[in-house]
Amino acid sequence: MDAITSITLGESVGAVAHARSLIDAFDPDVDEFGGCIGDATTMPPAIAYIVQQLLRWTPRFNAHYKLVVNRIFDRVSTVRQAVREARHLGEEYHGDCLIGMIAEKEGLAGQESLSEWELRDEVLTYI
């Protein structure tokens, strides 16, 4: 997930470090290459699906989801501001991530702009 968010947002959301801290906090005996949080591969597919559906309604999932969504919104705002500043100075902005490339094309002739919510939905679908 960190690799995908780095490509998309241009920065990591820290998912690996956060997951690692949870493993260390709850099970200090898990070694570097062993164990997994919520390993659904050992469950039958129907049960794994039900568990995933139930987990998305937990307060913990919602807190993590809001963290990711807020990071996306913050990054979109930052990149769009950088594009506006570059255009105001008459410079060309070069996007170094997916959001940057999208923002770079917005506002140009023949290009449509996405709202904050539309872009967030696109990024979440990609991630």
Side-chain angles (χ1 to χ4, degrees):
M1 176 142 176
D2 272 347
I4 293 172
T5 56
S6 293
I7 292 167
T8 307
L9 305 178
E11 63 184 27
S12 170
V13 294
V16 172
H18 182 69
R20 189 73 199 152
S21 72
L22 292 176
I23 290 173
D24 293 340
F26 292 111
D27 191 0
D29 295 329
V30 174
D31 66 358
E32 188 75 23
F33 300 102
C36 181
I37 297 174
D39 186 8
T41 60
T42 59
M43 298 181 205
I47 303 243
Y49 176 78
I50 292 169
V51 168
Q52 289 171 355
Q53 295 306 310
L54 291 174
L55 287 177
R56 53 181 256 207
W57 297 106
T58 63
R60 188 174 189 169
F61 174 84
N62 287 326
H64 294 296
Y65 180 78
K66 286 178 186 175
L67 174 76
V68 171
V69 169
N70 288 340
R71 292 286 290 267
I72 291 171
F73 273 134
D74 291 344
R75 189 65 180 147
V76 167
S77 298
T78 302
V79 169
R80 284 183 167 166
Q81 181 63 31
V83 170
R84 281 192 294 272
E85 289 173 2
R87 287 184 181 158
H88 180 71
L89 296 172
E91 299 173 357
E92 195 171 319
Y93 180 83
H94 298 287
D96 59 351
C97 62
L98 182 65
I99 290 178
M101 288 183 247
I102 292 170
E104 179 182 358
K105 298 297 180 192
E106 289 181 329
L108 299 177
Q111 302 292 326
E112 74 177 70
S113 296
L114 299 171
S115 72
E116 298 270 327
W117 290 99
E118 290 171 327
L119 186 52
R120 180 210 68 157
D121 287 344
E122 293 296 325
V123 169
L124 283 174
T125 300
Y126 179 72
I127 292 175

